[in-house]
């Protein structure tokens, strides 16, 4: 177990011992029990630490209640052996237990809809989460592993050749030692853009429809993976893909349905296009993601459309009445 993970787990174990003492005291309240239930459900490591804390507490109880007045030699030998075993267990628990390896502890980070969040990881790497995104981070002695569960994230990875940095997103694994890259995961594809250094993208799943098993991406290169294959492209400037960090969406002849799909990532309102003529329109410009409603209004004005409310959570985009 590395030093960072060991320290985190020691803190969890200390909290577990405090909960054992609290729950076994005469002064425990119903509020204490409710707070304990919430703590126990926060993470799997809390349950494991609680099991070990209860076992340690029981070992202490055995030593404390060893009889001291035993008349028969046989009984005295039996209790002496029990005491020695209990004492040995106690020594192992107190002095060796924090050093024993355990399952790596994962930490989850997420952003709400419409929120952009920056997280400093324990190894010195920095993560920027776009709207409605979730990652799970697990560190071991020989690697740093991230699962991108949903959304879009930009990573600035702290160099460490002895501990590669892996990100699993959909059916793709992105590996870097020290670099910066952006990943956008949707239902059908994984979009990887390298802004600094080099990353390797490899295939996690097994399928005959994919044309690539691995691809090395350089700075300013972009790779979109999907079930029908991988699409690699290069650009002298990837700032358009990174515009979300500035709270902007840069559109260059973007089909209106694709733009609407992006705006819906930042708000609860569903935007419906029923007219094929409206769906065929394209948009160019810079939109403000922090103000999706105002951006939609600006689109409607520029394309001569009208916004018709259908419910509290949906609107219809139509051609404006002449």
């Amino acid at each position: 177990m590395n030093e960072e993970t060991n320290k985190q787990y020691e803190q969890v174990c200390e909290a577990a011992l405090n909960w054992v003492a609290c729950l076994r005291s005469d002064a425990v309240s119903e509020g204490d029990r409710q707070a304990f239930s919430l703590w126990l459900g926060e993470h799997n490591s809390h349950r494991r630490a609680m099991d070990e804390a209860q076992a340690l507490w029981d070992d202490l109880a055995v030593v404390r209640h060893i009889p001291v007045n035993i008349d028969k030699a046989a009984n005295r030998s039996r209790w002496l052996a029990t005491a020695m075993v209990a004492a040995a267990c106690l020594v192992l628990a107190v002095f060796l237990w924090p050093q024993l390896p355990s399952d790596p502890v994962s930490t989850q980070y997420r952003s709400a809809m419409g929120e952009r969040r920056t997280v400093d990881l324990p190894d010195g790497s920095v993560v920027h989460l776009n709207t409605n995104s979730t990652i799970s981070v697990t560190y071991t002695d020989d690697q740093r592993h991230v699962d991108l569960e949903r959304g879009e994230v930009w990573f600035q990875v702290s160099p460490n050749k002895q501990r590669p940095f892996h990100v699993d997103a959909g059916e793709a694994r992105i590996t870097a030692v020290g670099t910066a890259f952006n990943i956008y995961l949707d239902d059908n594809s994984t979009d990887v853009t390298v802004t600094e250094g080099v990353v390797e993208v490899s295939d996690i799943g097994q399928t005959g429809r994919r044309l690539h098993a691995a691809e090395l991406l350089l700075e300013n290169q972009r790779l979109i993976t999907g079930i029908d294959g991988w699409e690699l492209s290069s650009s002298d400037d990837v700032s358009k893909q990174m515009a979300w960090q500035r709270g902007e969406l840069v559109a260059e002849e973007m089909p209106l349905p694709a733009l609407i799909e992006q705006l819906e990532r930042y708000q609860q309102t569903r935007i419906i296009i029923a007219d094929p003529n409206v769906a065929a329109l394209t948009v160019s410009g810079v939109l403000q993601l922090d103000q999706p409603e105002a951006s939609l209004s600006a689109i409607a004005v520029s394309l001569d459309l009208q916004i018709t409310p259908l419910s509290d959570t949906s609107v219809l985009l139509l051609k404006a009445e002449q």
Side-chain angles (χ1 to χ4, degrees):
M1 187 189 305
N2 60 58
E3 183 177 352
E4 297 165 357
T5 304
N6 187 44
K7 184 177 180 181
Q8 291 176 358
Y9 191 63
E10 285 179 355
Q11 294 173 347
V12 172
C13 291
E14 182 179 353
L17 286 170
N18 289 335
W19 277 119
V20 173
C22 174
L23 295 173
R24 297 197 180 192
S25 71
D26 296 333
V28 61
S29 66
E30 184 61 29
D32 293 330
R33 292 189 178 91
Q34 293 178 359
F36 167 71
S37 297
L38 292 174
W39 177 84
L40 190 65
E42 284 179 354
H43 200 279
N44 289 336
S45 64
H46 293 186
R47 295 180 181 275
R48 183 171 68 250
M50 195 64 189
D51 290 339
E52 294 174 349
Q54 289 176 326
L56 176 60
W57 190 275
D58 292 339
D59 286 339
L60 289 169
V62 169
V63 175
R64 187 171 63 251
H65 291 101
I66 292 177
V68 294
N69 294 320
I70 303 296
D71 294 333
K72 295 183 179 180
N75 285 340
R76 184 164 54 247
S77 298
R78 176 169 54 84
W79 280 109
L80 179 59
T82 301
M84 292 177 65
V85 171
C89 291
L90 183 59
V91 169
L92 285 173
V94 172
F95 294 102
L96 298 183
W97 172 46
Q99 309 297 328
L100 294 176
S102 64
D103 294 335
V105 178
S106 297
T107 304
Q108 190 177 78
Y109 304 96
R110 64 180 62 188
S111 60
M113 181 171 287
E115 177 190 19
R116 294 189 304 277
R117 180 184 179 191
T118 299
V119 176
D120 295 322
L121 298 181
D123 71 316
S125 300
V126 180
V127 180
H128 294 279
L129 289 87
N130 199 357
T131 175
N132 197 25
S133 301
T134 302
I135 62 172
S136 181
V137 181
T138 306
Y139 283 178
T140 64
D141 289 334
D142 57 356
Q143 69 171 322
R144 299 165 287 174
H145 188 90
V146 178
D147 283 306
L148 175 55
E149 300 176 14
R150 68 181 181 190
E152 184 172 19
V153 184
W154 180 80
F155 297 91
Q156 176 73 61
V157 179
S158 177
N160 189 334
K161 293 183 179 180
Q162 283 69 45
R163 296 174 71 197
F165 195 98
H166 302 293
V167 182
D168 286 353
E171 296 298 326
R173 169 167 292 178
I174 297 87
T175 301
V177 175
T179 185
F181 55 96
N182 191 81
I183 307 176
Y184 172 41
L185 176 66
D186 66 14
D187 294 335
N188 301 311
S189 65
T190 302
D191 188 335
V192 183
T193 302
V194 180
T195 59
E196 178 185 326
V198 181
V199 304
E200 181 186 57
V201 181
S202 56
D203 211 346
I204 298 176
Q206 297 291 331
T207 172
R209 299 181 67 185
R210 291 195 181 87
L211 301 179
H212 297 76
E215 190 77 55
L216 202 64
L217 300 188
L218 307 179
E219 185 173 337
N220 292 329
Q221 285 192 319
R222 180 186 184 191
L223 177 68
I224 301 177
T225 73
I227 59 174
D228 295 324
W230 294 9
E231 179 183 347
L232 178 64
S233 60
S234 298
S235 172
D236 294 334
D237 184 10
V238 297
S239 61
K240 183 171 69 173
Q241 281 75 38
M242 301 301 102
W244 66 264
Q245 296 185 5
R246 307 187 300 271
E248 296 176 347
L249 172 62
V250 180
E252 295 179 0
E253 295 296 320
M254 180 181 292
L256 182 58
L259 187 145
I260 293 303
E261 181 181 348
Q262 292 301 310
L263 284 183
E264 287 181 332
R265 296 171 57 198
Y266 296 85
Q267 61 177 4
Q268 297 289 348
T269 302
R270 184 185 177 198
I271 306 168
I272 301 172
I273 301 176
D275 186 343
N277 293 322
V278 174
L281 298 173
T282 60
V283 179
S284 295
V286 179
L287 303 177
Q288 299 302 311
L289 296 174
D290 293 333
Q291 303 174 26
E293 293 182 0
S295 295
L296 181 61
S297 297
I299 293 171
V301 170
S302 65
L303 297 180
D304 195 24
L305 303 175
Q306 68 180 31
I307 303 171
T308 302
L310 297 178
S311 68
D312 292 339
T313 58
S314 63
V315 297
L316 181 64
L317 209 54
L318 296 169
K319 273 288 187 180
E321 295 181 359
Q322 302 299 323

